[in-house]
Amino acid sequence: MRKLVLAALAASAMATPAFAQDATFTGPRVEALVGYDTASDGTDGDAGSSDGVTYGGAIGYDFQIGGAVIGAEAELTGSSVDTRADSLLVAGDRLVADMGRDIYVGARAGVAITPTTLLYAKGGYTNAKVNTTYTTGTTKTEISEDMEGFRVGAGAEFKLSNNMYLKGEYRYSNYGKIDGYDIDIDRHQVVAGVGIRF
């Protein structure tokens, strides 16, 4: 009887579920993202900021080598955020910058601390569509432009199955100055995502 029990235990240990054995972070992935977004003027003037929601999706490809994971990713998001600054050029004027679509391309590197949990850092290029409105007195000027910058961030990814995962991420982006105005836009986001790895 003892031999039968030992044989059953050995068989169950060898028959570990495929999820635990195959839970690597290698392969292409696609994910949906939503989260908190805030943009502000990074200068020292009379500036404001606005909070809102960012939403969109991303694709990527990761390689796992031992416990290390490296990958490339691209992202397209929108936002409900605007940022504003008053009395920039003359007393009483106002500049409002509405954050539109954002394209991000970058890389990430991390460590699989368990077969199902990945901690990572990321960085890359970001290009945001910014719609600006400048008002002074009764004169209003509207400009739409692409602003280029950089993004850095960190996050954690948790596998729910061989193919599905959840993630949480913080990232910071900076787009530099809007042409002709003393306003330097930076951005903080905390997002959650759900994805599928193929």
Side-chain angles (χ1 to χ4, degrees):
M1 181 69 172
R2 181 180 298 175
K3 289 182 180 179
L4 184 59
V5 171
L6 290 174
L9 288 173
S12 68
M14 291 171 50
T16 304
F19 171 55
Q21 292 179 359
D22 300 333
T24 68
F25 294 91
T26 294
R29 59 186 166 87
V30 60
E31 59 195 36
L33 301 168
V34 65
Y36 168 79
D37 190 5
T38 182
S40 63
D41 172 16
T43 64
D44 295 329
D46 181 12
S49 65
S50 175
D51 300 337
V53 176
T54 184
Y55 48 87
I59 58 173
Y61 195 97
D62 298 311
F63 297 92
Q64 182 168 348
I65 305 168
V69 177
I70 58 172
E73 57 188 359
E75 183 179 300
L76 177 63
T77 58
S79 179
S80 65
V81 169
D82 65 36
T83 183
R84 58 195 66 223
D86 296 318
S87 300
L88 280 173
L89 303 178
V90 296
D93 68 357
R94 167 167 285 188
L95 178 71
V96 177
D98 291 314
M99 306 302 290
R101 67 102 183 102
D102 191 341
I103 298 170
Y104 166 78
V105 178
R108 70 177 189 168
V111 176
I113 59 171
T114 74
T116 59
T117 304
L118 171 68
L119 300 180
Y120 63 88
K122 65 185 291 178
Y125 165 84
T126 177
N127 180 296
K129 175 75 76 176
V130 181
N131 302 307
T132 58
T133 303
Y134 177 72
T135 305
T136 177
T138 58
T139 303
K140 179 185 289 188
T141 304
E142 297 180 336
I143 302 171
S144 180
E145 62 182 315
D146 290 345
M147 297 192 67
E148 299 179 329
F150 67 89
R151 174 173 297 161
V152 293
E157 184 176 306
F158 309 95
K159 293 182 78 67
L160 301 177
S161 69
N162 277 338
N163 301 106
M164 183 169 284
Y165 62 88
L166 293 175
K167 67 182 277 187
E169 183 177 291
Y170 163 79
R171 60 263 199 101
Y172 166 79
S173 303
N174 184 278
Y175 302 98
K177 291 187 181 297
I178 294 177
D179 289 341
Y181 302 104
D182 186 22
I183 182 170
D184 183 13
I185 294 185
D186 57 12
R187 193 174 199 174
H188 300 270
Q189 297 173 318
V190 178
V191 300
V194 59
I196 297 174
R197 181 172 275 106
F198 300 97

